[in-house]
Amino acid sequence: MLSVQNVHKKMGQTNVLTNVSFDVTPGEIFGFLGPNGAGKTTTIRIITGLMPATHGTVTVDGFDVSTDRQQALSRIGAIVENPAFYPYLTGRENLIHAMNLIPGLKKVDLNALGALVGLETKLDMKVKQYSLGMKQRLGIARALLHNPKVLILDEPTNGLDPAGIADLRNYLRHLADHRGIAILISSHLLSEMELITDRFAIIDQGQIKSIQGDGEAKTESVILCKVDRKQMNEALDVVALAFDDVKIIQQSAEMFIVPRPETDIPHLLKHLVDRDIAVYQIGMKHETLEEQFLKVTKKEGGTNNAFITSQ
């Protein structure tokens, strides 16, 4: 539905984006992650036609944003951070005003749209009475007025409390699952992105450093094993014999991890027990999105020092 291919952006003598490529499919929530200054907002500006790419293509539902601008942009709905509304108007009146600004827009069932985003009983309240979470939902409703194929949200959880974030997550999941909308979310909140996204790309210094692909686990997993500390050296020797070319990481005097899949736990346990090594704990440790992000962006001197992982 949304395809970004080999996008470059040069400002003066600086390469802001280099060979940025990713796709977002219908019904998918795709996370676009990166530290401040990584190129997220520049990429979104290019996707939404606010800035031209130096090289590369962006297509929406098969229409090129550069050459078929009107067709492509008519299929995009977008919210950038906190949406602005007329506070003295009701939510319904704000939506009607927005409808009047969209050429050729057919009649919209605002009650159904309000119900879709959880505002069915709130549309006739003045927006000045809305909480920040309600304004975010009204912003999503406004972005959906023209029935877009792609919804782009730039930092949609800014300023929301935990309950508001959870509500927003549920509404977005509903939109993706029941309306088939392709959703691109740019955010700093790794813990939240780990909960909501189907796939994600990590961008740093204007380049895509990692894309979690179809059919792959979102984060890597390793086997964690706790043994008698007096037998640690012997245990490490056993692991080295059990697996070829494996990098063993010793975390403490009695704990080590092995980058192997869960199906290798019985194999590892058998080798340890056969050598009479006391095993106190064995199981999987899943690498968090934060750990993966830091690992990816620290390569080549990434800029993750400015990254925010919680509110």
Side-chain angles (χ1 to χ4, degrees):
M1 186 58 65
L2 170 64
S3 180
V4 178
Q5 297 299 320
N6 304 314
V7 168
H8 294 250
K9 180 62 180 179
K10 193 169 185 177
M11 295 182 180
Q13 299 301 312
T14 303
N15 290 316
V16 180
L17 298 176
T18 304
N19 196 33
V20 172
S21 299
F22 60 86
D23 297 292
V24 187
T25 59
E28 177 181 37
I29 299 179
F30 188 86
F32 194 42
L33 315 176
N36 291 330
K40 301 190 305 297
T41 299
T42 298
T43 303
I44 288 175
R45 286 175 178 168
I46 291 172
I47 293 172
T48 54
L50 298 176
M51 177 184 292
T54 305
H55 300 292
T57 60
V58 176
T59 58
V60 182
D61 199 19
F63 294 97
D64 191 298
V65 170
S66 297
T67 59
D68 301 305
R69 180 182 176 87
Q70 184 174 353
Q71 291 279 9
L73 296 185
S74 68
R75 288 160 167 78
I76 295 177
I79 304 176
V80 179
E81 296 194 358
N82 298 328
F85 297 99
Y86 295 106
Y88 52 86
L89 297 180
T90 65
R92 187 185 304 275
E93 290 167 341
N94 270 280
L95 292 178
I96 292 172
H97 175 72
M99 289 169 55
N100 293 333
L101 298 177
I102 303 175
L105 182 67
K106 296 179 181 179
K107 186 176 180 180
V108 178
D109 186 341
L110 294 183
N111 289 329
L113 185 59
L116 182 66
V117 297
L119 291 176
E120 58 267 42
T121 63
K122 308 295 184 182
L123 281 182
D124 294 312
M125 287 174 51
K126 292 190 182 298
V127 169
K128 65 183 179 180
Q129 298 175 289
Y130 277 25
S131 66
L132 185 55
M134 292 167 63
K135 290 179 182 177
Q136 288 285 21
R137 282 180 264 158
L138 185 63
I140 292 175
R142 184 172 63 185
L144 295 175
L145 282 171
H146 59 298
N147 196 27
K149 304 285 188 180
V150 176
L151 180 62
I152 297 175
L153 307 175
D154 187 14
E155 303 293 351
T157 57
N158 272 3
L160 296 183
D161 60 21
I165 292 175
D167 285 343
L168 182 62
R169 183 198 314 137
N170 292 334
Y171 294 128
L172 294 179
R173 188 73 268 170
H174 180 79
L175 288 175
D177 292 343
H178 297 280
R179 296 282 292 269
I181 296 175
I183 302 177
L184 173 68
I185 302 180
S186 168
S187 179
H188 285 80
L189 297 180
L190 292 179
S191 57
E192 182 58 31
M193 290 301 96
E194 197 164 18
L195 293 174
I196 192 173
T197 58
D198 299 305
R199 295 189 303 131
F200 56 80
I202 297 174
I203 186 172
D204 189 31
Q205 299 177 324
Q207 300 181 52
I208 299 293
K209 301 290 187 177
S210 174
I211 294 182
Q212 179 267 323
D214 295 329
E216 298 176 9
K218 278 190 179 182
T219 54
E220 296 180 4
S221 299
V222 295
I223 299 174
L224 182 148
C225 187
K226 182 178 181 181
V227 299
D228 188 322
R229 64 177 58 203
K230 296 178 182 178
Q231 297 178 294
M232 173 59 78
N233 291 335
E234 185 180 0
L236 296 179
D237 290 339
V238 170
V239 175
L241 291 172
F243 303 110
D244 294 329
D245 301 322
V246 66
K247 182 181 180 182
I248 307 167
I249 304 171
Q250 185 173 346
Q251 288 192 311
S252 69
E254 57 188 16
M255 187 82 69
F256 65 87
I257 61 175
V258 185
R260 301 292 296 187
E262 186 173 16
T263 52
D264 279 342
I265 289 180
H267 177 69
L268 174 58
L269 183 59
K270 181 180 184 303
H271 277 74
L272 292 170
V273 173
D274 284 348
R275 293 285 292 271
D276 293 324
I277 294 173
V279 178
Y280 300 131
Q281 178 183 345
I282 189 167
M284 297 303 296
K285 178 182 184 296
H286 297 280
E287 185 181 52
T288 66
L289 179 54
E290 179 180 0
E291 289 170 336
Q292 185 173 347
F293 175 86
L294 293 174
K295 182 173 68 177
V296 169
T297 57
K298 279 181 178 177
K299 295 176 182 177
E300 302 173 12
T303 55
N304 62 65
N305 59 308
F307 204 77
I308 301 171
T309 56
S310 62
Q311 288 185 303

